[in-house]
Amino acid sequence: MTKAVRFDELGGPEVLRLEEVKLDEPAQGEVRIRVDAIGLNRAESNFRSGTYVYPPTLPGSGLGYEAAGVVEAVGDGVDGFAVGDAVSAVPTFLMTDYGTYGESVVLPAHALVHRPAGVDAPTGAATWMAYTTAYGLLVEFGGIRPGDTVLINAASSSVGLASIQVANHLGAVPIAVTRTHTKKQRLLDAGAAHVIPAEDVDLVAEVHAVTGGRGVQLAVDAVMGPAVTTLIQAVAPDGTLLFYGWLDPAPAPMPVAPDFRGRNIRTFAFTEVTVEDAARLQRAKHFVNAGLRAGTLRPVIDRTFDLADVVAAHHYLESNNQFGKILLTVQH
């Protein structure tokens, strides 16, 4: 037996429970890992509450996209992994099929990457959702080049901080947007070239001031809502606005004014890198692992909780007070 987090109904963090479950053996193409650390994501909060892009299978649903640990068992047909290997999980699966919130979990082999030497389990668990998303936004779909300016909304989130690092890694200029001035210095310390507290200043005027009146080449946004009409005004005439989340549930208007012509507007899902295109996923793995080895990509960890405190961890996740990644750790 082992312990895993399950829930039987949709709701708040209180629906989550840690229970004894059968220790499964990996089937064809699967690997079982002893989990040492688990990365928390807004996706799991939405999945638990029934507002994610697909619903859980109830009762007895698991959850979780990210984890790091050590290989315990390898199923038939798996090459490249052996018992004792240090690995991280990449979100290449549905949470209705697999989950990472547990002491030992079975995952598909294609969801695992070897952890580079010197990368510990907490770092490995905090990396792959944020950095594959940031990679997809800035590289695969944003086409960012050295010298380009990148506006990053919700910049103190794990994806926001990853995007700052990826922008710097590419030689671009990251402009971080946060609600108030309270996180300004921390964002500057995290590598932002400029920080704009959106509730305290005129965002568009500030962007034009630091870009010589041109606007940014790329804006990435996890909020949407009515602020879309403001963000589009900060984008250069040949630039791109990419949405990867919807933290604001209010309707988001489609900018159609003549002044916005020439700008590319689209949504982005991390599955466009991790699931839908194997070549993109391979490029992302090489890019992120190279950054981890070089030290130019390093996730910011805000706070850790014990696996048994998963309810408290989800409450903190939904408080929006974090600066970086929230983790669960597992004691063996």
Side-chain angles (χ1 to χ4, degrees):
M1 301 294 288
T2 187
K3 291 182 180 179
V5 176
R6 296 287 186 265
F7 63 103
D8 294 330
E9 59 182 324
L10 303 179
E14 290 78 14
V15 303
L16 299 174
R17 67 181 190 282
L18 185 64
E19 65 175 28
E20 293 278 344
V21 298
K22 181 177 178 294
L23 182 64
D24 291 328
E25 293 300 321
Q28 179 87 17
E30 295 180 335
V31 175
R32 191 179 74 223
I33 68 170
R34 184 204 72 205
V35 176
D36 295 317
I38 302 160
L40 270 61
N41 298 285
R42 179 68 64 170
E44 291 123 47
S45 171
N46 292 341
F47 186 66
R48 184 210 71 229
S49 62
T51 58
Y52 196 47
V53 293
Y54 57 87
T57 302
L58 300 173
S61 177
L63 75 169
Y65 273 130
E66 290 184 286
V70 176
V71 173
E72 286 185 326
V74 177
D76 292 338
V78 173
D79 295 319
F81 293 101
V83 173
D85 286 352
V87 294
S88 295
V90 182
T92 65
F93 51 86
L94 298 178
M95 288 187 282
T96 47
D97 297 326
Y98 299 95
T100 60
Y101 283 28
E103 295 177 331
S104 291
V105 300
V106 172
L107 296 172
H110 61 71
L112 298 180
V113 292
H114 291 280
R115 293 207 313 271
V119 175
D120 60 15
T123 300
T127 294
W128 288 95
M129 175 69 86
Y131 286 90
T132 53
T133 301
Y135 169 82
L137 289 166
L138 273 66
V139 178
E140 292 287 344
F141 294 94
I144 286 302
R145 298 169 297 182
D148 285 345
T149 49
V150 183
L151 184 152
I152 302 163
N153 203 13
S156 60
S157 68
S158 58
V159 174
L161 293 168
S163 296
I164 290 172
Q165 293 180 15
V166 170
N168 284 324
H169 184 76
L170 296 170
V173 180
I175 301 172
V177 177
T178 186
R179 285 183 299 168
T180 68
H181 69 279
T182 57
K183 295 179 181 179
K184 181 175 181 177
Q185 189 57 52
R186 295 181 75 181
L187 288 166
L188 290 170
D189 294 342
H194 307 279
V195 177
I196 299 174
E199 292 183 359
D200 299 337
V201 301
D202 184 324
L203 185 146
V204 176
E206 289 290 314
V207 169
H208 286 169
V210 300
T211 60
R214 187 175 186 278
V216 297
Q217 191 63 31
L218 174 68
V220 297
D221 177 47
V223 181
M224 294 185 75
V228 167
T229 54
T230 300
L231 285 178
I232 195 64
Q233 295 176 63
V235 177
D238 59 347
T240 299
L241 173 57
L242 282 177
F243 301 106
Y244 66 96
W246 57 93
L247 294 177
D248 188 338
M254 172 58 72
V256 293
D259 290 345
F260 302 151
R261 286 181 300 192
R263 293 162 175 83
N264 181 37
I265 304 172
R266 80 183 302 274
T267 58
F268 168 81
F270 72 91
T271 53
E272 294 183 80
V273 172
T274 61
V275 176
E276 298 175 15
D277 190 313
R280 278 185 198 143
L281 177 59
Q282 284 303 111
R283 291 192 293 267
K285 287 179 178 179
H286 284 292
F287 181 91
V288 174
N289 267 332
L292 289 174
R293 289 193 299 270
T296 55
L297 304 182
R298 181 64 58 176
V300 176
I301 297 172
D302 177 271
R303 186 173 172 184
T304 63
F305 293 80
D306 188 82
L307 179 62
D309 297 322
V310 62
V311 172
H314 266 238
H315 274 298
Y316 185 60
L317 175 67
E318 295 180 349
S319 73
N320 295 322
N321 290 323
Q322 67 269 26
F323 188 89
K325 198 76 173 181
I326 302 167
L327 299 181
L328 297 171
T329 55
V330 184
Q331 307 302 317
H332 293 281

